[in-house]
């Protein structure tokens, strides 16, 4: 069920019978010369809507702009501050709790959002308002990602390229080799990125002239379909696990000595 497509009487019926919602979140930022700036929010929305269609749970509209200042040197990147993002996501979640939702999955496809989403989830839980989980799609299927790609890369790499090949026709296939050759194939083995155990970079362009990492030529739509189906399976299972929890399990633990 997609919230924005429904009339309020039908949503009222949902809120009377269910207490879980999915919120997709991504970014609008550079993903190299070969991928659209919509990459992250396209992936997040496709996964959330796919899981909602299979499970019957509610999917909200997508948060398309996230914490992306570290990509600002590339034309078109949009971003908000972490404070703004946290406040917006918390307000958006409280819209749902007002209607009776008490458990939420943040279906996230942008690494820059992770810490902020976890902070929001902690605050909502501590206040007893909601039990929210941050879910990052590739972290749910690490073995498959490793199986499919020798040089994955954390941003604009073959896993995101393959997902977009599967989901859209927006990939510039003729630029895949340029993306690989103009970027960094393996950031973790780049000596200049770390000094005595400390990360010495702040922005994507500190390490990559074209903003991406990994071997994009290793991506195919078929691999993207495998990633998408496997991640959707994981998301559906997570929703079913969360929906089955007794409300008492989701509340903050009692103060020591007050059990």
């Amino acid at each position: 069920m997609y919230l924005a497509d429904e009339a309020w009487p039908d949503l009222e019926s949902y809120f009377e019978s269910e207490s879980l919602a999915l919120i997709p979140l991504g970014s609008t930022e550079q993903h190299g010369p070969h991928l659209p700036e919509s990459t992250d929010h396209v992936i997040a929305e496709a996964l959330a809507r796919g899981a909602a269609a299979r499970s019957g749970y509610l999917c909200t509209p997508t948060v398309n702009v996230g914490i992306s200042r570290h990509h600002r040197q590339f034309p078109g990147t949009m971003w908000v501050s972490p404070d703004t993002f946290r406040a917006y996501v918390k307000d958006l979640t409280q819209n749902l709790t007002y209607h009776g939702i008490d458990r939420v999955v943040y279906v996230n496809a942008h690494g820059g959002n992770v810490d902020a989403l976890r902070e929001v989830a902690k605050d909502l839980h501590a206040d007893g308002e909601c039990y929210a989980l941050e879910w990052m799609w590739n972290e749910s299927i690490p073995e498959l990602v490793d199986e499919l790609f020798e040089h994955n890369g954390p941003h604009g790499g073959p896993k995101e390229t393959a997902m977009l090949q599967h989901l859209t026709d927006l990939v510039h296939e003729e630029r895949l080799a340029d993306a690989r050759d103009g970027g960094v194939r393996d950031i973790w083995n780049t000596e200049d990125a770390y000094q005595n155990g400390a990360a010495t970079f702040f922005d994507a362009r500190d390490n990559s002239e074209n903003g991406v990492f990994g071997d994009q030529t290793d991506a195919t739509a078929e691999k993207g379909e495998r990633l998408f189906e496997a991640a959707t399976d994981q998301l559906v299972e997570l929703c079913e696990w969360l929906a089955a929890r007794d409300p008492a399990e989701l509340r903050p633990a009692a103060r020591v000595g007050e059990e």
Side-chain angles (χ1 to χ4, degrees):
M1 174 180 280
Y2 182 61
L3 186 150
D5 287 345
E6 302 295 330
W8 72 258
D10 305 300
L11 291 167
E12 181 180 39
S13 298
Y14 179 86
F15 293 130
E16 288 174 348
S17 60
E18 300 288 353
S19 59
L20 185 147
L22 300 95
I23 303 178
L25 308 100
S27 68
T28 299
E29 65 180 23
Q30 73 85 18
H31 275 77
H34 63 302
L35 291 179
E37 303 217 350
S38 62
T39 292
D40 287 344
H41 69 249
V42 164
I43 293 172
E45 181 167 335
L47 288 166
R49 295 187 70 159
R54 283 176 45 181
S55 66
Y57 294 117
L58 184 70
C59 175
T60 74
T62 303
V63 177
N64 290 339
V65 176
I67 301 172
S68 300
R69 188 178 65 173
H70 51 295
H71 294 289
R72 68 191 183 281
Q73 292 94 342
F74 296 90
T77 291
M78 301 183 71
W79 70 92
V80 295
S81 72
D83 287 346
T84 297
F85 183 79
R86 286 193 297 268
Y88 183 84
V89 173
K90 186 173 183 179
D91 282 355
L92 189 65
T93 306
Q94 288 170 326
N95 293 175
L96 297 170
T97 63
Y98 176 84
H99 294 298
I101 295 296
D102 69 356
R103 54 204 80 189
V104 167
V105 178
Y106 296 130
V107 181
N108 183 35
H110 174 49
N113 295 339
V114 171
D115 289 344
L117 290 173
R118 290 178 178 171
E119 288 180 27
V120 171
K122 287 178 182 178
D123 287 345
L124 291 167
H125 181 254
D127 293 340
E129 294 184 74
C130 180
Y131 189 93
L133 294 173
E134 184 274 333
W135 179 84
M136 186 77 175
W137 71 271
N138 56 288
E139 292 181 0
S140 75
I141 51 171
E143 295 87 359
L144 180 58
V145 172
D146 288 344
E147 173 191 333
L148 294 178
F149 309 113
E150 182 178 358
H151 298 286
N152 178 47
H155 181 75
K159 69 175 183 285
E160 291 182 321
T161 302
M163 285 283 270
L164 264 289
Q165 287 171 322
H166 170 57
L167 295 171
T168 75
D169 59 0
L170 299 175
V171 178
H172 296 275
E173 302 285 347
E174 75 283 3
R175 299 178 185 171
L176 296 183
D178 289 342
R180 176 198 62 199
D181 297 339
V184 175
R185 191 172 298 194
D186 188 356
I187 186 176
W188 312 120
N189 290 331
T190 302
E191 293 181 2
D192 294 339
Y194 295 90
Q195 180 65 44
N196 297 98
T200 58
F201 56 92
F202 292 96
D203 299 325
R205 196 154 190 241
D206 291 340
N207 295 314
S208 174
E209 278 300 310
N210 70 3
V212 292
F213 307 91
D215 183 356
Q216 293 76 12
T217 65
D218 202 19
T220 66
E222 291 73 23
K223 290 181 179 180
E225 182 177 14
R226 289 184 63 188
L227 293 171
F228 181 81
E229 293 301 328
T232 303
D233 286 344
Q234 291 293 314
L235 182 53
V236 170
E237 289 181 17
L238 175 62
C239 290
E240 292 174 345
W241 173 87
L242 185 55
R245 304 275 68 77
D246 186 279
E249 298 179 59
L250 306 180
R251 299 191 190 105
R255 180 180 171 87
V256 173
E258 294 181 358
E259 291 88 346

mmCIF file of all heavy atoms in Angstrom, residues 70-113:
data_model
loop_
_atom_site.group_PDB
_atom_site.id
_atom_site.type_symbol
_atom_site.label_atom_id
_atom_site.label_comp_id
_atom_site.label_asym_id
_atom_site.label_seq_id
_atom_site.Cartn_x
_atom_site.Cartn_y
_atom_site.Cartn_z
ATOM 1 N N HIS A 70 29.176 16.289 1.442
ATOM 2 C CA HIS A 70 30.477 15.769 1.028
ATOM 3 C C HIS A 70 30.560 15.486 -0.474
ATOM 4 O O HIS A 70 31.623 15.104 -0.975
ATOM 5 C CB HIS A 70 30.827 14.507 1.826
ATOM 6 C CG HIS A 70 29.753 13.468 1.843
ATOM 7 N ND1 HIS A 70 28.520 13.661 2.431
ATOM 8 C CD2 HIS A 70 29.732 12.203 1.359
ATOM 9 C CE1 HIS A 70 27.789 12.570 2.308
ATOM 10 N NE2 HIS A 70 28.501 11.679 1.658
ATOM 11 N N HIS A 71 29.455 15.700 -1.193
ATOM 12 C CA HIS A 71 29.471 15.591 -2.656
ATOM 13 C C HIS A 71 29.234 16.945 -3.331
ATOM 14 O O HIS A 71 28.988 17.007 -4.531
ATOM 15 C CB HIS A 71 28.387 14.612 -3.120
ATOM 16 C CG HIS A 71 28.630 13.193 -2.695
ATOM 17 N ND1 HIS A 71 29.635 12.408 -3.232
ATOM 18 C CD2 HIS A 71 27.997 12.408 -1.773
ATOM 19 C CE1 HIS A 71 29.613 11.216 -2.669
ATOM 20 N NE2 HIS A 71 28.626 11.183 -1.785
ATOM 21 N N ARG A 72 29.322 18.019 -2.578
ATOM 22 C CA ARG A 72 28.889 19.325 -3.067
ATOM 23 C C ARG A 72 29.732 19.879 -4.211
ATOM 24 O O ARG A 72 29.256 20.721 -4.970
ATOM 25 C CB ARG A 72 28.878 20.335 -1.919
ATOM 26 C CG ARG A 72 30.257 20.685 -1.376
ATOM 27 C CD ARG A 72 30.156 21.490 -0.074
ATOM 28 N NE ARG A 72 31.461 21.897 0.441
ATOM 29 C CZ ARG A 72 32.280 21.099 1.120
ATOM 30 N NH1 ARG A 72 31.907 19.841 1.359
ATOM 31 N NH2 ARG A 72 33.446 21.543 1.554
ATOM 32 N N GLN A 73 30.971 19.414 -4.372
ATOM 33 C CA GLN A 73 31.814 19.957 -5.430
ATOM 34 C C GLN A 73 31.366 19.541 -6.832
ATOM 35 O O GLN A 73 31.843 20.080 -7.824
ATOM 36 C CB GLN A 73 33.278 19.530 -5.233
ATOM 37 C CG GLN A 73 33.944 20.160 -4.010
ATOM 38 C CD GLN A 73 33.857 19.272 -2.784
ATOM 39 O OE1 GLN A 73 33.045 18.353 -2.723
ATOM 40 N NE2 GLN A 73 34.699 19.545 -1.783
ATOM 41 N N PHE A 74 30.451 18.590 -6.908
ATOM 42 C CA PHE A 74 29.960 18.109 -8.197
ATOM 43 C C PHE A 74 28.633 18.787 -8.534
ATOM 44 O O PHE A 74 27.734 18.847 -7.688
ATOM 45 C CB PHE A 74 29.789 16.587 -8.172
ATOM 46 C CG PHE A 74 31.090 15.848 -7.985
ATOM 47 C CD1 PHE A 74 31.549 15.542 -6.715
ATOM 48 C CD2 PHE A 74 31.852 15.476 -9.076
ATOM 49 C CE1 PHE A 74 32.747 14.868 -6.529
ATOM 50 C CE2 PHE A 74 33.060 14.800 -8.909
ATOM 51 C CZ PHE A 74 33.508 14.498 -7.631
ATOM 52 N N PRO A 75 28.486 19.291 -9.751
ATOM 53 C CA PRO A 75 27.281 20.045 -10.118
ATOM 54 C C PRO A 75 25.989 19.271 -9.870
ATOM 55 O O PRO A 75 25.887 18.082 -10.187
ATOM 56 C CB PRO A 75 27.482 20.314 -11.621
ATOM 57 C CG PRO A 75 28.964 20.347 -11.793
ATOM 58 C CD PRO A 75 29.478 19.294 -10.859
ATOM 59 N N GLY A 76 25.019 19.971 -9.299
ATOM 60 C CA GLY A 76 23.684 19.420 -9.118
ATOM 61 C C GLY A 76 23.422 18.771 -7.786
ATOM 62 O O GLY A 76 22.261 18.563 -7.422
ATOM 63 N N THR A 77 24.466 18.416 -7.039
ATOM 64 C CA THR A 77 24.255 17.780 -5.734
ATOM 65 C C THR A 77 23.437 18.693 -4.826
ATOM 66 O O THR A 77 23.704 19.886 -4.724
ATOM 67 C CB THR A 77 25.603 17.454 -5.071
ATOM 68 O OG1 THR A 77 26.249 16.405 -5.802
ATOM 69 C CG2 THR A 77 25.411 17.005 -3.631
ATOM 70 N N MET A 78 22.451 18.107 -4.167
ATOM 71 C CA MET A 78 21.625 18.831 -3.207
ATOM 72 C C MET A 78 21.825 18.204 -1.827
ATOM 73 O O MET A 78 22.090 17.004 -1.715
ATOM 74 C CB MET A 78 20.152 18.776 -3.614
ATOM 75 C CG MET A 78 19.877 19.357 -4.995
ATOM 76 S SD MET A 78 18.116 19.349 -5.396
ATOM 77 C CE MET A 78 17.539 20.630 -4.271
ATOM 78 N N TRP A 79 21.700 19.027 -0.780
ATOM 79 C CA TRP A 79 21.890 18.503 0.568
ATOM 80 C C TRP A 79 21.209 19.400 1.590
ATOM 81 O O TRP A 79 20.891 20.557 1.309
ATOM 82 C CB TRP A 79 23.376 18.380 0.908
ATOM 83 C CG TRP A 79 24.093 19.684 1.092
ATOM 84 C CD1 TRP A 79 24.287 20.377 2.256
ATOM 85 C CD2 TRP A 79 24.714 20.476 0.074
ATOM 86 N NE1 TRP A 79 24.989 21.536 2.041
ATOM 87 C CE2 TRP A 79 25.268 21.624 0.699
ATOM 88 C CE3 TRP A 79 24.865 20.326 -1.309
ATOM 89 C CZ2 TRP A 79 25.951 22.607 -0.011
ATOM 90 C CZ3 TRP A 79 25.550 21.310 -2.016
ATOM 91 C CH2 TRP A 79 26.081 22.431 -1.368
ATOM 92 N N VAL A 80 20.959 18.823 2.748
ATOM 93 C CA VAL A 80 20.515 19.581 3.923
ATOM 94 C C VAL A 80 21.480 19.254 5.056
ATOM 95 O O VAL A 80 22.205 18.262 5.006
ATOM 96 C CB VAL A 80 19.066 19.242 4.324
ATOM 97 C CG1 VAL A 80 18.094 19.668 3.238
ATOM 98 C CG2 VAL A 80 18.910 17.755 4.624
ATOM 99 N N SER A 81 21.474 20.076 6.082
ATOM 100 C CA SER A 81 22.354 19.831 7.226
ATOM 101 C C SER A 81 21.855 18.621 8.014
ATOM 102 O O SER A 81 20.660 18.278 7.969
ATOM 103 C CB SER A 81 22.388 21.049 8.138
ATOM 104 O OG SER A 81 21.156 21.179 8.829
ATOM 105 N N PRO A 82 22.733 17.983 8.764
ATOM 106 C CA PRO A 82 22.288 16.878 9.623
ATOM 107 C C PRO A 82 21.184 17.293 10.587
ATOM 108 O O PRO A 82 20.250 16.517 10.831
ATOM 109 C CB PRO A 82 23.569 16.471 10.360
ATOM 110 C CG PRO A 82 24.662 16.827 9.414
ATOM 111 C CD PRO A 82 24.216 18.105 8.761
ATOM 112 N N ASP A 83 21.264 18.491 11.142
ATOM 113 C CA ASP A 83 20.222 18.952 12.069
ATOM 114 C C ASP A 83 18.872 19.052 11.375
ATOM 115 O O ASP A 83 17.841 18.626 11.919
ATOM 116 C CB ASP A 83 20.595 20.312 12.658
ATOM 117 C CG ASP A 83 21.722 20.239 13.681
ATOM 118 O OD1 ASP A 83 22.037 19.113 14.136
ATOM 119 O OD2 ASP A 83 22.289 21.294 14.006
ATOM 120 N N THR A 84 18.870 19.637 10.174
ATOM 121 C CA THR A 84 17.622 19.770 9.413
ATOM 122 C C THR A 84 17.055 18.407 9.054
ATOM 123 O O THR A 84 15.845 18.160 9.181
ATOM 124 C CB THR A 84 17.870 20.593 8.140
ATOM 125 O OG1 THR A 84 18.284 21.909 8.503
ATOM 126 C CG2 THR A 84 16.614 20.678 7.286
ATOM 127 N N PHE A 85 17.928 17.519 8.621
ATOM 128 C CA PHE A 85 17.494 16.179 8.226
ATOM 129 C C PHE A 85 16.883 15.433 9.413
ATOM 130 O O PHE A 85 15.802 14.848 9.303
ATOM 131 C CB PHE A 85 18.683 15.403 7.663
ATOM 132 C CG PHE A 85 18.360 14.027 7.158
ATOM 133 C CD1 PHE A 85 17.778 13.839 5.919
ATOM 134 C CD2 PHE A 85 18.641 12.911 7.941
ATOM 135 C CE1 PHE A 85 17.478 12.563 5.456
ATOM 136 C CE2 PHE A 85 18.349 11.635 7.486
ATOM 137 C CZ PHE A 85 17.765 11.464 6.240
ATOM 138 N N ARG A 86 17.578 15.460 10.545
ATOM 139 C CA ARG A 86 17.051 14.764 11.727
ATOM 140 C C ARG A 86 15.698 15.325 12.142
ATOM 141 O O ARG A 86 14.768 14.556 12.450
ATOM 142 C CB ARG A 86 18.048 14.864 12.887
ATOM 143 C CG ARG A 86 19.276 13.993 12.757
ATOM 144 C CD ARG A 86 20.037 13.927 14.071
ATOM 145 N NE ARG A 86 20.536 15.232 14.476
ATOM 146 C CZ ARG A 86 21.736 15.706 14.174
ATOM 147 N NH1 ARG A 86 22.568 14.973 13.464
ATOM 148 N NH2 ARG A 86 22.112 16.908 14.597
ATOM 149 N N ALA A 87 15.577 16.642 12.149
ATOM 150 C CA ALA A 87 14.310 17.256 12.564
ATOM 151 C C ALA A 87 13.186 16.888 11.591
ATOM 152 O O ALA A 87 12.058 16.596 12.021
ATOM 153 C CB ALA A 87 14.466 18.771 12.639
ATOM 154 N N TYR A 88 13.490 16.894 10.307
ATOM 155 C CA TYR A 88 12.471 16.577 9.304
ATOM 156 C C TYR A 88 12.005 15.129 9.430
ATOM 157 O O TYR A 88 10.803 14.839 9.425
ATOM 158 C CB TYR A 88 13.029 16.836 7.906
ATOM 159 C CG TYR A 88 12.031 16.619 6.796
ATOM 160 C CD1 TYR A 88 11.134 17.616 6.436
ATOM 161 C CD2 TYR A 88 11.972 15.400 6.114
ATOM 162 C CE1 TYR A 88 10.215 17.412 5.419
ATOM 163 C CE2 TYR A 88 11.060 15.186 5.113
ATOM 164 C CZ TYR A 88 10.177 16.196 4.763
ATOM 165 O OH TYR A 88 9.256 15.979 3.760
ATOM 166 N N VAL A 89 12.971 14.215 9.542
ATOM 167 C CA VAL A 89 12.608 12.799 9.633
ATOM 168 C C VAL A 89 11.834 12.517 10.919
ATOM 169 O O VAL A 89 10.865 11.745 10.915
ATOM 170 C CB VAL A 89 13.866 11.908 9.541
ATOM 171 C CG1 VAL A 89 13.513 10.447 9.816
ATOM 172 C CG2 VAL A 89 14.505 12.045 8.169
ATOM 173 N N LYS A 90 12.226 13.170 12.010
ATOM 174 C CA LYS A 90 11.497 12.969 13.263
ATOM 175 C C LYS A 90 10.062 13.469 13.129
ATOM 176 O O LYS A 90 9.113 12.781 13.534
ATOM 177 C CB LYS A 90 12.199 13.678 14.414
ATOM 178 C CG LYS A 90 11.568 13.382 15.775
ATOM 179 C CD LYS A 90 12.384 13.969 16.909
ATOM 180 C CE LYS A 90 11.780 13.608 18.257
ATOM 181 N NZ LYS A 90 12.574 14.163 19.388
ATOM 182 N N ASP A 91 9.881 14.658 12.551
ATOM 183 C CA ASP A 91 8.525 15.187 12.341
ATOM 184 C C ASP A 91 7.721 14.267 11.441
ATOM 185 O O ASP A 91 6.540 13.991 11.702
ATOM 186 C CB ASP A 91 8.587 16.583 11.720
ATOM 187 C CG ASP A 91 8.928 17.665 12.724
ATOM 188 O OD1 ASP A 91 9.035 17.355 13.926
ATOM 189 O OD2 ASP A 91 9.095 18.827 12.300
ATOM 190 N N LEU A 92 8.332 13.799 10.372
ATOM 191 C CA LEU A 92 7.639 12.916 9.439
ATOM 192 C C LEU A 92 7.198 11.631 10.127
ATOM 193 O O LEU A 92 6.075 11.149 9.923
ATOM 194 C CB LEU A 92 8.579 12.597 8.269
ATOM 195 C CG LEU A 92 7.995 11.851 7.073
ATOM 196 C CD1 LEU A 92 6.945 12.698 6.384
ATOM 197 C CD2 LEU A 92 9.107 11.494 6.085
ATOM 198 N N THR A 93 8.070 11.090 10.965
ATOM 199 C CA THR A 93 7.727 9.874 11.700
ATOM 200 C C THR A 93 6.599 10.140 12.689
ATOM 201 O O THR A 93 5.687 9.308 12.860
ATOM 202 C CB THR A 93 8.968 9.340 12.437
ATOM 203 O OG1 THR A 93 10.040 9.167 11.502
ATOM 204 C CG2 THR A 93 8.665 8.002 13.093
ATOM 205 N N GLN A 94 6.631 11.292 13.331
ATOM 206 C CA GLN A 94 5.573 11.627 14.288
ATOM 207 C C GLN A 94 4.223 11.851 13.599
ATOM 208 O O GLN A 94 3.183 11.689 14.238
ATOM 209 C CB GLN A 94 5.989 12.847 15.110
ATOM 210 C CG GLN A 94 7.088 12.523 16.114
ATOM 211 C CD GLN A 94 7.678 13.752 16.773
ATOM 212 O OE1 GLN A 94 7.781 14.818 16.153
ATOM 213 N NE2 GLN A 94 8.076 13.623 18.022
ATOM 214 N N ASN A 95 4.224 12.206 12.314
ATOM 215 C CA ASN A 95 2.967 12.199 11.562
ATOM 216 C C ASN A 95 2.328 10.824 11.637
ATOM 217 O O ASN A 95 1.108 10.683 11.822
ATOM 218 C CB ASN A 95 3.200 12.507 10.088
ATOM 219 C CG ASN A 95 3.679 13.904 9.782
ATOM 220 O OD1 ASN A 95 3.973 14.191 8.636
ATOM 221 N ND2 ASN A 95 3.772 14.780 10.764
ATOM 222 N N LEU A 96 3.167 9.799 11.489
ATOM 223 C CA LEU A 96 2.658 8.428 11.484
ATOM 224 C C LEU A 96 2.237 7.972 12.872
ATOM 225 O O LEU A 96 1.217 7.291 13.031
ATOM 226 C CB LEU A 96 3.721 7.491 10.913
ATOM 227 C CG LEU A 96 4.116 7.734 9.462
ATOM 228 C CD1 LEU A 96 5.338 6.914 9.089
ATOM 229 C CD2 LEU A 96 2.953 7.403 8.528
ATOM 230 N N THR A 97 3.011 8.337 13.884
ATOM 231 C CA THR A 97 2.636 7.926 15.236
ATOM 232 C C THR A 97 1.311 8.576 15.650
ATOM 233 O O THR A 97 0.538 7.980 16.404
ATOM 234 C CB THR A 97 3.733 8.269 16.263
ATOM 235 O OG1 THR A 97 3.914 9.681 16.331
ATOM 236 C CG2 THR A 97 5.048 7.608 15.894
ATOM 237 N N TYR A 98 1.045 9.769 15.143
ATOM 238 C CA TYR A 98 -0.237 10.436 15.418
ATOM 239 C C TYR A 98 -1.404 9.582 14.923
ATOM 240 O O TYR A 98 -2.480 9.568 15.532
ATOM 241 C CB TYR A 98 -0.248 11.806 14.740
ATOM 242 C CG TYR A 98 -1.548 12.562 14.867
ATOM 243 C CD1 TYR A 98 -1.829 13.327 16.001
ATOM 244 C CD2 TYR A 98 -2.515 12.521 13.850
ATOM 245 C CE1 TYR A 98 -3.030 14.023 16.120
ATOM 246 C CE2 TYR A 98 -3.707 13.212 13.959
ATOM 247 C CZ TYR A 98 -3.960 13.970 15.091
ATOM 248 O OH TYR A 98 -5.148 14.652 15.212
ATOM 249 N N HIS A 99 -1.186 8.871 13.821
ATOM 250 C CA HIS A 99 -2.242 8.023 13.253
ATOM 251 C C HIS A 99 -2.238 6.613 13.825
ATOM 252 O O HIS A 99 -3.053 5.781 13.413
ATOM 253 C CB HIS A 99 -2.094 7.957 11.730
ATOM 254 C CG HIS A 99 -2.329 9.264 11.039
ATOM 255 N ND1 HIS A 99 -3.526 9.929 11.082
ATOM 256 C CD2 HIS A 99 -1.497 10.041 10.291
ATOM 257 C CE1 HIS A 99 -3.445 11.055 10.382
ATOM 258 N NE2 HIS A 99 -2.225 11.149 9.905
ATOM 259 N N GLY A 100 -1.323 6.323 14.749
ATOM 260 C CA GLY A 100 -1.339 5.028 15.411
ATOM 261 C C GLY A 100 -0.191 4.103 15.085
ATOM 262 O O GLY A 100 -0.112 2.996 15.642
ATOM 263 N N ILE A 101 0.712 4.514 14.193
ATOM 264 C CA ILE A 101 1.880 3.686 13.885
ATOM 265 C C ILE A 101 2.843 3.716 15.075
ATOM 266 O O ILE A 101 3.138 4.775 15.624
ATOM 267 C CB ILE A 101 2.595 4.218 12.620
ATOM 268 C CG1 ILE A 101 1.685 4.069 11.388
ATOM 269 C CG2 ILE A 101 3.927 3.516 12.403
ATOM 270 C CD1 ILE A 101 1.342 2.659 11.016
ATOM 271 N N ASP A 102 3.343 2.551 15.464
ATOM 272 C CA ASP A 102 4.307 2.531 16.571
ATOM 273 C C ASP A 102 5.597 1.803 16.206
ATOM 274 O O ASP A 102 6.462 1.601 17.048
ATOM 275 C CB ASP A 102 3.699 1.923 17.833
ATOM 276 C CG ASP A 102 3.426 0.434 17.712
ATOM 277 O OD1 ASP A 102 3.627 -0.140 16.614
ATOM 278 O OD2 ASP A 102 2.988 -0.166 18.711
ATOM 279 N N ARG A 103 5.729 1.418 14.934
ATOM 280 C CA ARG A 103 6.961 0.784 14.464
ATOM 281 C C ARG A 103 7.205 1.188 13.009
ATOM 282 O O ARG A 103 6.282 1.182 12.179
ATOM 283 C CB ARG A 103 6.922 -0.728 14.668
ATOM 284 C CG ARG A 103 5.743 -1.431 14.070
ATOM 285 C CD ARG A 103 5.461 -2.762 14.768
ATOM 286 N NE ARG A 103 4.729 -2.553 16.008
ATOM 287 C CZ ARG A 103 4.497 -3.512 16.915
ATOM 288 N NH1 ARG A 103 4.925 -4.745 16.715
ATOM 289 N NH2 ARG A 103 3.821 -3.239 18.023
ATOM 290 N N VAL A 104 8.451 1.554 12.711
ATOM 291 C CA VAL A 104 8.802 2.128 11.416
ATOM 292 C C VAL A 104 10.111 1.524 10.938
ATOM 293 O O VAL A 104 11.023 1.284 11.737
ATOM 294 C CB VAL A 104 8.943 3.661 11.519
ATOM 295 C CG1 VAL A 104 9.621 4.252 10.284
ATOM 296 C CG2 VAL A 104 7.584 4.319 11.731
ATOM 297 N N VAL A 105 10.197 1.293 9.634
ATOM 298 C CA VAL A 105 11.468 0.916 9.019
ATOM 299 C C VAL A 105 11.899 2.047 8.094
ATOM 300 O O VAL A 105 11.173 2.405 7.162
ATOM 301 C CB VAL A 105 11.359 -0.399 8.227
ATOM 302 C CG1 VAL A 105 12.709 -0.726 7.569
ATOM 303 C CG2 VAL A 105 10.927 -1.542 9.137
ATOM 304 N N TYR A 106 13.063 2.622 8.370
ATOM 305 C CA TYR A 106 13.660 3.614 7.476
ATOM 306 C C TYR A 106 14.393 2.849 6.378
ATOM 307 O O TYR A 106 15.474 2.302 6.601
ATOM 308 C CB TYR A 106 14.629 4.521 8.228
ATOM 309 C CG TYR A 106 13.993 5.381 9.296
ATOM 310 C CD1 TYR A 106 14.524 5.431 10.586
ATOM 311 C CD2 TYR A 106 12.871 6.154 9.025
ATOM 312 C CE1 TYR A 106 13.955 6.227 11.562
ATOM 313 C CE2 TYR A 106 12.284 6.943 10.005
ATOM 314 C CZ TYR A 106 12.832 6.981 11.260
ATOM 315 O OH TYR A 106 12.258 7.770 12.232
ATOM 316 N N VAL A 107 13.804 2.789 5.202
ATOM 317 C CA VAL A 107 14.392 2.065 4.073
ATOM 318 C C VAL A 107 15.393 3.013 3.407
ATOM 319 O O VAL A 107 15.027 3.874 2.616
ATOM 320 C CB VAL A 107 13.308 1.598 3.091
ATOM 321 C CG1 VAL A 107 13.938 0.819 1.939
ATOM 322 C CG2 VAL A 107 12.268 0.740 3.817
ATOM 323 N N ASN A 108 16.654 2.854 3.759
ATOM 324 C CA ASN A 108 17.682 3.828 3.430
ATOM 325 C C ASN A 108 18.595 3.313 2.315
ATOM 326 O O ASN A 108 18.972 2.151 2.297
ATOM 327 C CB ASN A 108 18.512 4.121 4.689
ATOM 328 C CG ASN A 108 19.568 5.169 4.460
ATOM 329 O OD1 ASN A 108 19.366 6.120 3.698
ATOM 330 N ND2 ASN A 108 20.695 5.013 5.121
ATOM 331 N N ALA A 109 18.964 4.215 1.401
ATOM 332 C CA ALA A 109 19.888 3.840 0.329
ATOM 333 C C ALA A 109 21.042 4.830 0.203
ATOM 334 O O ALA A 109 21.700 4.873 -0.822
ATOM 335 C CB ALA A 109 19.141 3.724 -0.997
ATOM 336 N N HIS A 110 21.283 5.607 1.244
ATOM 337 C CA HIS A 110 22.369 6.590 1.215
ATOM 338 C C HIS A 110 23.169 6.514 2.510
ATOM 339 O O HIS A 110 22.627 6.742 3.606
ATOM 340 C CB HIS A 110 21.805 7.999 1.036
ATOM 341 C CG HIS A 110 22.818 9.081 1.143
ATOM 342 N ND1 HIS A 110 24.019 9.045 0.453
ATOM 343 C CD2 HIS A 110 22.850 10.237 1.862
ATOM 344 C CE1 HIS A 110 24.723 10.129 0.738
ATOM 345 N NE2 HIS A 110 24.041 10.864 1.597
ATOM 346 N N GLY A 111 24.464 6.201 2.380
ATOM 347 C CA GLY A 111 25.300 6.039 3.555
ATOM 348 C C GLY A 111 25.386 7.283 4.417
ATOM 349 O O GLY A 111 25.515 7.194 5.639
ATOM 350 N N GLY A 112 25.291 8.469 3.803
ATOM 351 C CA GLY A 112 25.370 9.701 4.553
ATOM 352 C C GLY A 112 24.220 9.921 5.516
ATOM 353 O O GLY A 112 24.313 10.759 6.425
ATOM 354 N N ASN A 113 23.126 9.178 5.337
ATOM 355 C CA ASN A 113 21.956 9.309 6.209
ATOM 356 C C ASN A 113 22.009 8.415 7.437
ATOM 357 O O ASN A 113 21.206 8.592 8.367
ATOM 358 C CB ASN A 113 20.676 8.950 5.440
ATOM 359 C CG ASN A 113 20.354 9.907 4.312
ATOM 360 O OD1 ASN A 113 20.819 11.042 4.285
ATOM 361 N ND2 ASN A 113 19.546 9.440 3.370
#
